[in-house]
Amino acid sequence: MCIRDSMTGDAAPTAIAVAKELGLLESGKRKSAILEGSRFYQQIGGIICRVCLADICLCRTSERLRRNIIGDQDQFNEVSADLVILARTKPSHKEALVLGLQEAAHTVAVAGNGANDAAAMRRADVGIAMGKEGTEIAREAADLILLEDKLDSLAHTIVLGRNIYQSVRKFLQFQLTMTISTIVLEFLGALLYRQPIFASIQLLWVNLTIDILASVAFATEPPDDDLLWAKPVRRDEYIITKKMMAFIMFHGITLSAVALALTCFGENFLPEYGPDLLGDNFESVRYNGQTDYVRSGRTKFLFSNEDDYGHLIDNFGPSRHYTIVFTSFTFMMHATLINSRSIDLRLNVFRGITRNWLFIVIVIGLFLSQFLIVTIGQPFHCHREGLHWIQWVICVLFGISILIAWSVCTRILKTFFWTEDTTSTNARAKPANPQSSPRPKLYSPEDSIIIPNESNEEKPEEMLRLDKI
């Protein structure tokens, strides 16, 4: 957010004095930073119809359907580049400034309190009226009414709005990642071994985490300190950015690959502990009765109708092999939930997590719930003896590995693909002393612009200053 231009019906000397006091006008500014409304309107060619290119419409287009444009947009861009104060303005002058900025791809908000401001407020993307001193016409034309007549309350509102948008992006990032990886695993399991890797009850548990608990965790994320200093999202920007796509692709591929590797080759390296439930024959929980690795839990052999573990399920229940696969995938999902707190390749995904106690409670609750449902065993299609503590450690390490792998991947992406500062979405430099620099001086088309507006009504000097803050 930046306050770029000030429009007022007062004379130029009064406007200049107030602007200098508020820091809107620096002593070294060129004279072109200050214009009177009539001269400005004349230089830009006024407001004309897009169809007939005339001030008074000749094409008989209805006033409600008429599309207005600036007479000379190139001249407007040149004049408005240095414009800070527009004095002695009429409603048409104010509307022309708003329209020209919108045609230049700016997002414009107009703050006003008088009847003369209504046209500009309606034209703006966001019209802001004063609740106490504003006229009824101004309040009706506004999208937002400030009850206390203080523009500084907008900063808090903007931060909250941006935080909600970021939370939605974080949730989408996590949900798409987990949905894609789950679908891929179930499809490959049916293709290779003619069985789903996860049972229906296990998929319900995964979906509970993805759809409900994750949404609550992200909905309670507090605003980041840098949100106010971030550039606003452009109108043509997709809700899923390239950085989010990199996140989704990395985690989707990694989680699917790890879970599939555990499914296909887990009996070759996953250790087995506990009693030999099936005896010392071929059907031992210790694979083939000759190793200290888990018995394959695949119901059939690869691309075959021949039973592998399928004929043992009725007697001995779900395998420990597939219980480890399910638990490891769940812990990797928890790690992905934590990584999803950043949508802009931030290295420290734990930054600010202590301010969101509910997020911490949810993550801990998910871990304890996973321990509970695995310990209960068969109702959740898990091994009836649960897991050995070393097997639990292995599953947790798979989850931690996702955190480490994403940290490494983030450094690589920032080094070779996104070399700009990505501490926050569309980040821009934050001043060392915000008090000494009350407004960022950025004039790119992506910036939002708030135009303090003054009507022509006579007001005391102190009220004039209040409306401009």
Side-chain angles (χ1 to χ4, degrees):
M1 179 190 76
C2 70
I3 300 177
R4 169 169 166 173
D5 302 316
S6 177
M7 300 186 297
T8 178
D10 296 288
T14 303
I16 292 172
V18 175
K20 285 184 177 179
E21 183 178 345
L22 296 178
L24 297 177
L25 184 65
E26 300 173 359
S27 57
K29 280 285 184 181
R30 297 187 309 220
K31 291 184 178 180
S32 59
I34 307 164
L35 283 176
E36 290 194 351
S38 57
R39 182 182 175 186
F40 166 78
Y41 196 79
Q42 182 181 8
Q43 286 183 354
I44 66 174
I47 299 176
I48 62 175
C49 174
R50 184 185 295 271
V51 178
C52 61
L53 303 180
D55 184 10
I56 300 176
C57 196
L58 303 177
C59 59
R60 297 185 179 181
T61 303
S62 171
E63 190 67 26
R64 294 171 57 186
L65 301 178
R66 171 172 162 164
R67 290 289 305 278
N68 291 327
I69 59 173
I70 297 299
D72 189 345
Q73 184 65 39
D74 293 335
Q75 180 65 20
F76 175 89
N77 294 338
E78 182 179 344
V79 172
S80 64
D82 296 318
L83 184 63
V84 176
I85 298 174
L86 199 60
R88 287 297 184 189
T89 54
K90 298 179 180 180
S92 58
H93 305 160
K94 300 175 182 181
E95 185 178 3
L97 178 60
V98 175
L99 179 60
L101 290 171
Q102 290 176 329
E103 290 293 323
H106 289 284
T107 301
V108 185
V110 174
N113 58 3
N116 290 335
D117 305 327
M121 293 166 64
R122 288 192 183 96
R123 173 69 61 180
D125 298 283
V126 180
I128 306 168
M130 303 301 165
K132 291 182 177 180
E133 301 297 334
T135 64
E136 185 66 26
I137 296 177
R139 289 196 293 267
E140 289 180 357
D143 303 296
L144 181 66
I145 299 176
L146 300 181
L147 298 179
E148 298 297 326
D149 290 4
K150 294 181 180 179
L151 277 178
D152 54 0
S153 61
L154 283 177
H156 184 63
T157 304
I158 291 172
V159 168
L160 292 179
R162 292 180 175 181
N163 184 63
I164 291 173
Y165 188 67
Q166 277 204 355
S167 297
V168 171
R169 280 182 157 178
K170 293 174 183 178
F171 175 70
L172 282 177
Q173 181 175 255
F174 173 72
Q175 188 178 54
L176 289 176
T177 299
M178 298 311 306
T179 301
I180 291 173
S181 58
T182 303
I183 292 175
V184 169
L185 284 174
E186 292 297 271
F187 173 77
L188 292 178
L191 178 65
L192 299 177
Y193 300 108
R194 304 186 180 184
Q195 72 165 123
I197 294 178
F198 303 125
S200 299
I201 187 66
Q202 294 173 343
L203 286 177
L204 287 175
W205 169 242
V206 171
N207 286 330
L208 175 66
T209 303
I210 295 174
D211 296 331
I212 300 179
L213 298 180
S215 62
V216 174
F218 289 127
T220 55
E221 280 280 89
D224 193 275
D225 295 335
D226 297 328
L227 276 179
L228 185 61
W229 298 94
K231 293 182 181 180
V233 178
R234 298 195 309 271
R235 296 184 181 186
D236 59 345
E237 183 174 335
Y238 294 105
I239 190 171
I240 299 177
T241 63
K242 293 181 180 179
K243 294 174 183 178
M244 293 172 62
M245 285 299 300
F247 179 98
I248 294 171
M249 291 178 62
F250 172 82
H251 286 81
I253 294 173
T254 303
L255 266 64
S256 300
V258 172
L260 189 62
L262 290 175
T263 302
C264 297
F265 311 107
E267 71 274 14
N268 297 317
F269 58 86
L270 292 175
E272 177 62 290
Y273 301 91
D276 189 345
L277 301 177
L278 306 180
D280 296 326
N281 302 321
F282 170 76
E283 294 152 355
S284 170
V285 289
R286 301 178 186 274
Y287 185 65
N288 239 2
Q290 299 172 353
T291 67
D292 291 329
Y293 302 126
V294 295
R295 171 71 162 84
S296 169
R298 300 182 294 271
T299 55
K300 297 186 182 296
F301 290 99
L302 181 64
F303 296 123
S304 173
N305 287 324
E306 184 181 354
D307 275 347
D308 185 354
Y309 186 79
H311 63 291
L312 302 175
I313 293 180
D314 292 337
N315 295 327
F316 302 102
S319 66
R320 185 166 269 172
H321 175 203
Y322 267 41
T323 303
I324 295 177
V325 173
F326 169 59
T327 305
S328 299
F329 182 80
T330 304
F331 286 158
M332 290 190 292
M333 178 176 63
H334 299 167
T336 304
L337 177 66
I338 297 174
N339 285 339
S340 296
R341 295 186 68 250
S342 171
I343 59 174
D344 49 20
L345 301 184
R346 189 172 62 200
L347 289 175
N348 183 11
V349 296
F350 293 96
R351 189 177 74 176
I353 196 172
T354 54
R355 294 190 298 161
N356 187 1
W357 61 269
L358 188 56
F359 190 98
I360 299 175
V361 169
I362 288 176
V363 172
I364 296 176
L366 287 172
F367 178 84
L368 296 178
S369 300
Q370 183 66 23
F371 177 81
L372 179 63
I373 65 177
V374 171
T375 303
I376 292 176
Q378 288 185 314
F380 288 90
H381 207 77
C382 296
H383 191 267
R384 63 187 185 185
E385 297 293 329
L387 296 179
H388 189 268
W389 70 268
I390 294 182
Q391 294 169 334
W392 277 107
V393 171
I394 292 173
C395 296
V396 171
L397 289 178
F398 276 115
I400 295 176
S401 67
I402 297 299
L403 295 173
I404 299 174
W406 176 239
S407 178
V408 174
C409 181
T410 299
R411 291 184 180 274
I412 295 174
L413 291 175
K414 292 182 68 173
T415 302
F416 296 102
F417 297 96
W418 286 285
T419 56
E420 78 278 8
D421 179 25
T422 55
T423 55
S424 63
T425 303
N426 296 327
R428 66 190 181 195
K430 182 177 180 180
N433 185 6
Q435 298 297 329
S436 62
S437 180
R439 68 183 183 98
K441 300 200 170 42
L442 290 177
Y443 300 104
S444 64
E446 294 82 5
D447 282 333
S448 291
I449 301 169
I450 292 183
I451 304 178
N453 211 335
E454 270 295 310
S455 67
N456 294 324
E457 301 170 6
E458 294 295 330
K459 294 185 178 181
E461 183 69 17
E462 59 270 14
M463 188 171 295
L464 173 66
R465 296 181 183 183
L466 175 62
D467 290 344
K468 286 178 174 288
I469 295 177

